[in-house]
Amino acid sequence: MRQVISTDKAPAAIGTYSQAVRFGNTVYLSGQIALIPETMQLAEGDISVRIHQVFKNLSAVCEAAGGTLQDIVKMNIFLTDMAHFATVNEIMAQYFQQPYPARAAVAVKQLPKDTDIEMEGIMALSSY
């Protein structure tokens, strides 16, 4: 019943996890950082560049699972600096329409590859 979701349009897993796992109509999206899938290097530039790359990566995994970002019902956002919270909100508004997903934003000490943002989510699909 459990289905592993994988796409080459998002970064390959860099550990013992899947990009996403579907169970019934629910898809659990692993955390995405701002890796560029083709190079597996972090997107360079300011935080906004990395936030856009994270949404691009999440979107690719959502599509591989048969959905879109709009199907995300819960998101967790991890930031190494909460000063970027407003920027996350501004950019998130470019990718989501109401009703917005439930969400948490948490400050953390460190993230993989020493990046400054990671996001994960849970997607609910209307069909099985």
Side-chain angles (χ1 to χ4, degrees):
M1 194 88 177
R2 187 169 68 166
Q3 175 189 2
V4 172
I5 306 299
S6 181
T7 178
D8 61 0
K9 295 180 180 168
I14 55 175
T16 54
Y17 63 93
S18 301
Q19 289 173 328
V21 174
R22 182 176 180 163
F23 187 80
N25 290 359
T26 305
V27 180
Y28 300 88
L29 305 164
S30 290
Q32 288 289 329
I33 60 175
L35 289 174
I36 299 167
E38 297 81 11
T39 64
M40 292 298 288
Q41 298 297 313
L42 285 171
E44 294 182 14
D46 67 12
I47 184 74
S48 64
V49 171
R50 288 185 294 285
I51 294 168
H52 282 290
Q53 185 64 51
V54 170
F55 279 122
K56 183 177 178 181
N57 294 344
L58 283 172
S59 182
V61 178
C62 288
E63 289 174 14
T68 69
L69 287 175
Q70 199 62 38
D71 294 310
I72 294 176
V73 295
K74 172 68 166 105
M75 286 194 74
N76 292 317
I77 300 170
F78 306 98
L79 294 162
T80 58
D81 186 345
M82 288 303 280
H84 300 303
F85 184 75
T87 305
V88 171
N89 282 331
E90 289 171 22
I91 294 173
M92 188 171 172
Q94 298 172 29
Y95 291 91
F96 291 87
Q97 299 81 41
Q98 290 190 18
Y100 299 123
R103 187 183 82 177
V106 180
V108 296
K109 181 179 178 181
Q110 188 174 16
L111 289 166
K113 301 222 177 240
D114 288 323
T115 192
D116 44 12
I117 185 162
E118 181 173 3
M119 295 184 208
E120 65 176 11
I122 300 172
M123 194 168 57
L125 301 176
S126 57
S127 63
Y128 179 63

